[in-house]
């Protein structure tokens, strides 16, 4: 979905090697344990893109949002901060797959987070989006 690709491209700019140091200095505590996941400050203004992403993320299970918050907090807490790359793919349920490449003598490592979910307009059956054939 272009919305996710566009939004995550903007997140990747903030969490990339060029900007993550500033983000860590200014916002690490924003992602501290117990804090709700809030990425709205990363994209300026109350845009349709920001509203759509926030609405979709709000439908995700708490564990999904907590994994994202924890990975971000960890990355911002390392010294130096660890860059994070976000990607999205369509999926049935909410899924998160992550991996971390270690630093080497030549290059800094990084964390990659692959997020999977339905398209925003594709309602999950748990939210009344599809009828269970067993009850038809």
């Amino acid at each position: 979905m272009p919305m996710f690709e566009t939004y995550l491209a903007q997140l990747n700019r903030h969490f990339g090697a060029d900007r993550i140091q500033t983000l860590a200095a200014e916002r690490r505590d924003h992602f501290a344990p117990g804090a709700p996941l809030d990425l709205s400050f990363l994209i300026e203004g109350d845009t349709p893109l920001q509203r759509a992403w926030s609405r979709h993320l709000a439908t995700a299970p708490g564990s999904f949002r907590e994994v994202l918050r924890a990975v971000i907090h960890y990355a911002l807490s390392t010294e130096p901060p660890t860059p994070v790359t976000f990607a999205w793919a369509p999926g049935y349920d909410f899924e998160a797959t992550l991996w971390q490449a270690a630093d080497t003598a030549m290059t800094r490592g990084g964390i990659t987070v692959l997020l999977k979910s339905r398209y925003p307009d594709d309602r999950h059956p748990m939210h009344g989006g599809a009828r269970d054939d067993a009850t038809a």
Side-chain angles (χ1 to χ4, degrees):
M1 151 125 311
M3 176 186 81
F4 292 130
E5 302 296 335
T6 301
Y7 193 87
L8 293 180
Q10 292 184 35
L11 286 185
N12 287 336
R13 280 194 290 277
H14 288 284
F15 286 92
D18 294 340
R19 292 188 183 176
I20 197 164
Q21 190 79 29
T22 301
L23 187 60
E26 295 176 358
R27 294 289 186 152
R28 184 184 71 222
D29 292 340
H30 185 84
F31 298 99
L37 178 64
D38 175 17
L39 300 167
S40 63
F41 69 91
L42 293 172
I43 297 180
E44 292 184 31
D46 184 25
T47 65
L49 178 61
Q50 179 62 49
R51 287 190 305 273
W53 172 259
S54 294
R55 274 193 312 272
H56 185 68
L57 195 56
T59 67
S63 60
F64 186 85
R65 293 188 309 268
E66 180 61 13
V67 164
L68 288 176
R69 187 219 46 82
V71 167
I72 292 168
H73 186 257
Y74 170 81
L76 298 178
S77 297
T78 60
E79 188 54 49
T82 304
V84 182
T85 301
F86 296 94
W88 177 83
Y92 182 78
D93 285 319
F94 283 92
E95 298 178 40
T97 303
L98 58 107
W99 57 94
Q100 183 169 356
D103 293 346
T104 68
M106 289 179 33
T107 61
R108 179 90 172 105
I111 299 169
T112 301
V113 180
L114 173 61
L115 306 173
K116 290 185 177 182
S117 68
R118 291 175 173 263
Y119 289 92
D121 293 339
D122 185 10
R123 292 182 53 83
H124 193 282
M126 289 180 58
H127 299 121
R131 191 175 66 183
D132 182 355
D133 289 337
T135 61

